[in-house]
Amino acid sequence: MQVKCKRNLMVSIHCLVYNHEPYLRQCLDGFVMQKTNFQFEVIVHDDASTDNSAEIIREYAQKYPSIIKPIFEKENVYRLKGFAGINEIMDQHMYGKYIAYCEGDDYWCDCNKLQKQVNALEQNPEATMSYTGFYVVDNLGNKIKHVRSDNFMRHSHSGWIFWDLLVHTNFIMTLTTMYRRDACVGIERTPFDSGLFLSATRQGKAIFIPDMTSCYRINPTSIMNTCPHILKAPYYETVYFEIKNVILCDKHTAKSILDHPWKNKVLGYIIGRYIRKSTCRRKFFLLLLRHPFLWLYTIYGVYLRLFRDSIFRNEVNKL
């Protein structure tokens, strides 16, 4: 797949909408209020909403034609093809050097979010992505205390975070992220979100900006809250795919993973954990058969994680 880029377009924003009428204006306002010294656009994909979401998008597209670029579906693509179908459509319209994400029920609360992240990535060419702090809000937009925010912020940091993401499952919120476009090529076969985090951080460093730039909404009707199991199977597939890649070549050091004993132990723990997941149990078992040396590291890695957790965490932080 060839990387597409429009001249002078710095950022493309990936925004999925489905029946987000009560929240959509706040989301779109968060885009158009951005203060930047570069050009950006928002690709807003309405997946055949049955409420007035499409009308709101048209209103903003007429008012901000250089920023809001809508895609209207006549049939619900998610129901027909899932996230892969939606991402395939969106990838055909994402031309910026960098890609940012925010769904229609979430919103940005910092008018300098895009500028801060572009500055960070421009100044750090070895980094493939940036992410920031965030608030959690309820259905009415009130800030609330939430375990997800506390856990995510505690683990967030800059650097080579690929191994941390595998060990802790995830500590990045999608609406806070920005990626280099070329680091996203080929990611359409996996769901965005955790799969994209892993793919991007395997290729380079991440930059964490602690500023609270975004608001993640606990929407009782969202897929994340009503059908979280739908996202588990593709996430396990992504973990399997990334583990296969890292076994063959540790891209961070351009050396075989066999040369780094702690990476073997961490990898063993990760395989031991995911081999218990029904959707990928067979694939991870076959991976162990192809690489018999990993059996010992799997047993030892699980032992360290369960009974020597402080040592395990310290070594993960060094990777």
Side-chain angles (χ1 to χ4, degrees):
M1 179 178 176
Q2 190 174 12
V3 177
K4 301 170 287 187
C5 185
K6 285 184 178 178
R7 188 177 182 182
N8 299 324
L9 181 61
M10 187 65 78
V11 180
S12 291
I13 300 167
H14 183 293
C15 179
L16 301 184
V17 175
Y18 179 70
N19 287 352
H20 289 153
E21 179 185 356
Y23 324 112
L24 189 52
R25 291 184 184 277
Q26 194 170 30
C27 175
L28 298 177
D29 285 339
F31 299 146
V32 300
M33 76 173 184
Q34 292 296 305
K35 298 177 181 179
T36 67
N37 59 11
F38 52 79
Q39 182 183 352
F40 68 93
E41 65 178 4
V42 186
I43 309 301
V44 186
H45 179 274
D46 180 73
D47 201 14
S49 293
T50 57
D51 61 6
N52 291 319
S53 293
E55 286 70 21
I56 295 173
I57 296 170
R58 289 189 178 94
E59 174 190 331
Y60 275 76
Q62 289 179 350
K63 191 173 181 180
Y64 305 98
S66 64
I67 298 178
I68 307 297
K69 308 296 176 63
I71 301 173
F72 299 106
E73 301 291 350
K74 294 182 180 179
E75 292 185 89
N76 187 273
V77 177
Y78 175 76
R79 191 178 301 115
L80 296 173
K81 299 180 180 179
F83 279 121
I86 294 175
N87 286 338
E88 183 178 356
I89 293 170
M90 293 294 280
D91 283 344
Q92 296 173 9
H93 296 83
M94 310 295 283
Y95 290 93
K97 180 179 180 180
Y98 300 109
I99 309 296
Y101 288 81
C102 184
E103 294 193 17
D105 55 347
D106 300 322
Y107 63 97
W108 296 343
C109 56
D110 184 344
C111 62
N112 296 308
K113 176 187 184 294
L114 291 182
Q115 188 69 60
K116 291 175 181 178
Q117 292 187 284
V118 166
N119 289 347
L121 290 168
E122 289 286 285
Q123 294 166 12
N124 296 274
E126 76 283 4
T128 53
M129 68 170 288
S130 168
Y131 66 111
T132 74
F134 66 96
Y135 297 109
V136 176
V137 300
D138 62 18
N139 205 33
L140 300 177
N142 302 309
K143 294 175 185 175
I144 59 175
K145 192 77 172 174
H146 195 275
V147 65
R148 177 174 290 176
S149 174
D150 294 341
N151 288 340
F152 282 23
M153 292 295 287
R154 184 169 63 253
H155 292 301
S156 295
H157 62 281
S158 298
W160 295 107
I161 66 171
F162 174 78
W163 293 96
D164 251 353
L165 285 171
L166 283 173
V167 170
H168 298 300
T169 305
N170 181 40
F171 49 82
I172 300 174
M173 193 59 75
T174 306
L175 78 157
T176 73
T177 59
M178 180 182 289
Y179 305 85
R180 292 189 187 278
R181 177 77 175 74
D182 53 6
C184 300
V185 174
I187 305 303
E188 65 270 17
R189 61 182 167 179
T190 67
F192 62 88
D193 210 72
S194 300
L196 182 52
F197 306 157
L198 289 173
S199 296
T201 56
R202 179 173 50 82
Q203 300 175 60
K205 292 182 179 180
I207 300 173
F208 174 60
I209 300 173
D211 298 354
M212 310 297 275
T213 69
S214 312
C215 293
Y216 172 75
R217 192 185 305 273
I218 303 295
N219 179 1
T221 63
S222 70
I223 291 178
M224 286 292 292
N225 289 301
T226 58
C227 306
H229 60 280
I230 291 176
L231 302 179
K232 287 184 178 180
Y235 172 68
Y236 298 150
E237 291 286 343
T238 303
V239 171
Y240 169 74
F241 176 77
E242 296 300 335
I243 285 178
K244 276 206 312 182
N245 276 339
V246 84
I247 286 175
L248 297 176
C249 178
D250 179 9
K251 294 185 183 285
H252 296 172
T253 60
K255 293 173 64 179
S256 168
I257 191 172
L258 295 173
D259 296 335
H260 199 302
W262 261 103
K263 286 183 180 177
N264 278 304
K265 295 167 189 174
V266 174
L267 187 65
Y269 161 71
I270 293 163
I271 291 175
R273 185 176 67 180
Y274 284 104
I275 205 170
R276 296 181 290 111
K277 309 297 182 180
S278 59
T279 55
C280 278
R281 183 179 299 146
R282 182 172 177 272
K283 287 188 174 182
F284 280 109
F285 183 75
L286 290 175
L287 195 63
L288 288 175
L289 289 180
R290 295 192 192 100
H291 305 278
F293 74 94
L294 285 173
W295 277 109
L296 178 60
Y297 287 114
T298 297
I299 296 170
Y300 192 33
V302 172
Y303 163 76
L304 287 169
R305 185 65 172 85
L306 293 177
F307 302 105
R308 296 288 186 271
D309 187 54
S310 60
I311 297 175
F312 185 89
R313 288 177 182 274
N314 288 336
E315 293 300 331
V316 170
N317 291 335
K318 295 177 185 177
L319 295 177

